[in-house]
Amino acid sequence: MACSCLCSPKFLAILFLLTAIPIGIIISLERTQPSTHVYHYHSKGFFRECAKWDSDNHRFINSFFEGGIGQISVPEKESEAGTVFEEATVLKETELAGNASLGMTIDRSRNRILVVNADVRGNRYSALVAYDLSTWKRLFLTQLSGPSDEKALADDVAVDAEGNAYVTDVKASKIWKVGVGGNLISIIRNPLFTPKEWHKTLVGLNGIVYHPDGFLIVIHTFSGNLFKIDLTKGEEVKIINVVGGPLYFGDGLELLSPNKVVVAGNPSGRLVESLDGWNTASVVAKFSGPKHRLATSATVKDGKVYLNHMVGIGYPKKKHAIVEAVF
């Protein structure tokens, strides 16, 4: 009886409608003319977690959720609107197979890129890897957690003026500090990182940036809290009071200027400004990009903000979008 019900024309018709409606909406949204500039590119993978603009080499560098690093080269004299670029794989390390490549930051003064890798499904392995931007030679691989440690999920990274890296743990809400040569120095923990509500602990510390005045700005995704971690004051942690917050579902961060930070997430992008050294701040503008994609990171190209959208659409090639956010 159950089989005949599931195979009945009525059931199949309902199933068709349930699947056709979302697909129809996605197709319609894909055909809609974007309101801002978009870099589209073809990829073999569905998910691209992070994209950063490498101005010296005129390319976007992106991270593969299935593990690996790619690049999208953009000619200095850019092509006409509608051009779809091609992603080229530059790194896929067998030593890191089974782990996702997630957040990245370009350390321009040392001509290197720092890439976070983690076991997304099991939360049992996290690492930070550094590569030379010219040769893609690996400079170091530092394991941050393993099967014998507490469950952890390294997610994003920032680098300070001395070359120390700070890696967020989205699972256990802590921050690993890694030295310029790859040595694990310490772990930053604070009770403020853990909300009282259990459901807000499911996705914790996420996007992170280093401010040239000597502190970190970090977002907690499910609580929406924005933190200031003052490295000049013994890693003092304070919650930044954000007018127009909390910044729920915030993901990647990008420092646009000393007093402005871009928050990627849902909505696609929010511009947060502080006029008092990031003791307080305000949401001063919002940008709503493609509604059927998910903004996960931000970068700056030629003074303009671009948001990486995680999901690629299409078959066999997946078309991804890096969308200009105009605030």
Side-chain angles (χ1 to χ4, degrees), residues 13 24 30 46 57 66 94 103 110 134 157 189 191 218 250 254 259 289:
E30 275 292 285
F46 278 110
N57 298 288
E66 67 272 23
T94 55
R110 296 167 188 82
S134 300
V157 58
R189 299 179 187 267
V218 189
E254 182 76 4
N259 64 333

Side-chain angles (χ1 to χ4, degrees), residues 265-287:
N266 182 26
S268 298
R270 284 165 280 190
L271 183 63
V272 182
E273 182 179 41
S274 175
L275 302 177
D276 62 359
W278 293 96
N279 294 309
T280 64
S282 300
V283 177
V284 294
K286 297 179 181 180
F287 172 77

